[in-house]
Amino acid sequence: MSRIDRMVAAIDPVPQAAEPGAEVAALFETIVATPVKGGRLRRVRRAVVIPLAAVLGAVAVVVGLAFVPADAPIGIAPNAALAFQQVGDDWVVTVKDLYADPERFTSEFKARGFDIGLFTAPGSPSVAGQLAFSETAEGTTPVKEESVGCDLPGGGCTVSFRIPADFKGRIRLGLARPARAGERYEFAGRVDAAGELLHCVRFRGMTVDEVRAALAKRGGSIEEFRVGEKSEVAREVPGGWYVESAVPWAPGQVLAWAQPDPPQFTPEEKAQMKKGMAGCPGSD
């Protein structure tokens, strides 16, 4: 089992979306437009991005039909979780309440004739506000990203989708939302991505004490460790051990892989580490 396989198995990660920018739009359209043949269920998912982790792919598909009634209401109730705006023949739907229950989202979509499900779950800062999951029925009209993302750090989120006038089918979407205090992340980005606790920190290969000190300067800590070939759980390890890798765990917390000897990194890992430091002070 590879190092990455051990990491993934140890934390049972939930998928993650790409970083903000053009890649998000491309990923969104890929996720919601992936064709499925033969009526079989498939699921498109994105893996938690830990260093050098590959995307773990899947699509679940359920056949259905949705339409926009001619008399569908155009306004929104004051306490609505979704805002619907007709733009030309299409509908632009903005998520007003990222903390609403899935049942509220489903009910509001259904009120306008859409067979669309939506849920949100805690995500680390670099992925909050992004699409992370999709289930799509074969023959479903693609739903397009309009605006997806959150201001960093800790800013508000604007998440909206464009539903074509000729939409039909069934789709279920999952979004990463900012985590509340005490929540463990279900969607997570790279621990050194912008907005994360170890952004611009060359933490891989540092000692545990050095990483702890870097985290403490940002109000963070190491919640747990994974050690050995089987990534066994450890609450504490010697401060002189070395950190091999880490992932976001919860607000203010990371999960770290540690070992007694300095880790040896492959050329690919070194290139990824260098890429992660791009734009950081002293990265040239």
Side-chain angles (χ1 to χ4, degrees):
M1 181 180 288
S2 71
R3 178 185 300 137
I4 296 303
D5 289 336
R6 288 190 285 112
M7 290 179 180
V8 171
I11 62 176
D12 188 25
V14 180
Q16 168 215 315
E19 302 236 352
E23 292 182 1
V24 173
L27 170 64
F28 182 93
E29 295 193 12
T30 298
I31 288 177
V32 300
T34 301
V36 181
K37 297 180 179 180
R40 295 182 301 165
L41 297 187
R42 300 180 59 217
R43 176 172 298 158
V44 173
R45 311 185 81 177
R46 288 274 295 190
V48 170
V49 173
I50 54 181
L52 297 181
V55 172
L56 303 179
V59 186
V61 189
V62 186
V63 175
L65 174 67
F67 61 94
V68 181
D71 59 348
I74 295 179
I76 58 172
N79 61 345
L82 301 171
F84 291 80
Q85 180 182 6
Q86 197 157 18
V87 179
D89 292 330
D90 297 341
W91 288 87
V92 173
V93 183
T94 300
V95 182
K96 291 182 59 186
D97 184 359
L98 282 168
Y99 299 90
D101 293 331
E103 292 77 11
R104 283 185 62 193
F105 294 129
T106 299
S107 176
E108 292 180 26
F109 276 120
K110 185 176 181 180
R112 286 167 170 76
F114 294 115
D115 196 351
I116 296 176
L118 175 67
F119 72 93
T120 68
S124 65
S126 65
V127 300
Q130 296 182 30
L131 178 71
F133 171 90
S134 174
E135 287 183 339
T136 306
E138 181 178 6
T140 295
T141 307
V143 174
K144 297 183 179 181
E145 173 261 342
E146 186 76 6
S147 175
V148 178
C150 296
D151 296 331
L152 295 175
C157 298
T158 300
V159 183
S160 59
F161 311 107
R162 181 179 289 266
I163 304 175
D166 60 351
F167 177 85
K168 64 179 181 178
R170 180 178 182 183
I171 188 168
R172 182 169 178 255
L173 303 174
L175 295 172
R177 60 163 173 77
R180 295 185 174 108
E183 287 185 320
R184 176 181 164 184
Y185 297 137
E186 295 186 33
F187 302 127
R190 298 192 323 269
V191 74
D192 58 353
E196 304 288 356
L197 284 170
L198 290 174
H199 180 54
C200 289
V201 177
R202 299 180 186 275
F203 70 95
R204 301 188 72 186
M206 282 185 172
T207 66
V208 168
D209 281 347
E210 289 172 335
V211 174
R212 277 182 168 145
L215 287 167
K217 291 179 180 179
R218 301 179 178 186
S221 63
I222 300 175
E223 173 64 13
E224 285 186 2
F225 294 91
R226 295 292 184 267
V227 299
E229 285 296 319
K230 296 183 179 180
S231 289
E232 296 173 347
V233 177
R235 296 295 300 180
E236 294 291 340
V237 300
W241 277 29
Y242 296 87
V243 172
E244 178 188 17
S245 193
V247 293
W249 183 253
Q253 298 175 343
V254 303
L255 170 70
W257 279 259
Q259 58 190 53
D261 301 315
Q264 302 298 313
F265 300 111
T266 66
E268 291 79 11
E269 288 175 313
K270 291 178 180 178
Q272 184 69 20
M273 291 159 64
K274 182 178 181 180
K275 181 179 178 180
M277 291 293 295
C280 296
S283 61
D284 296 334

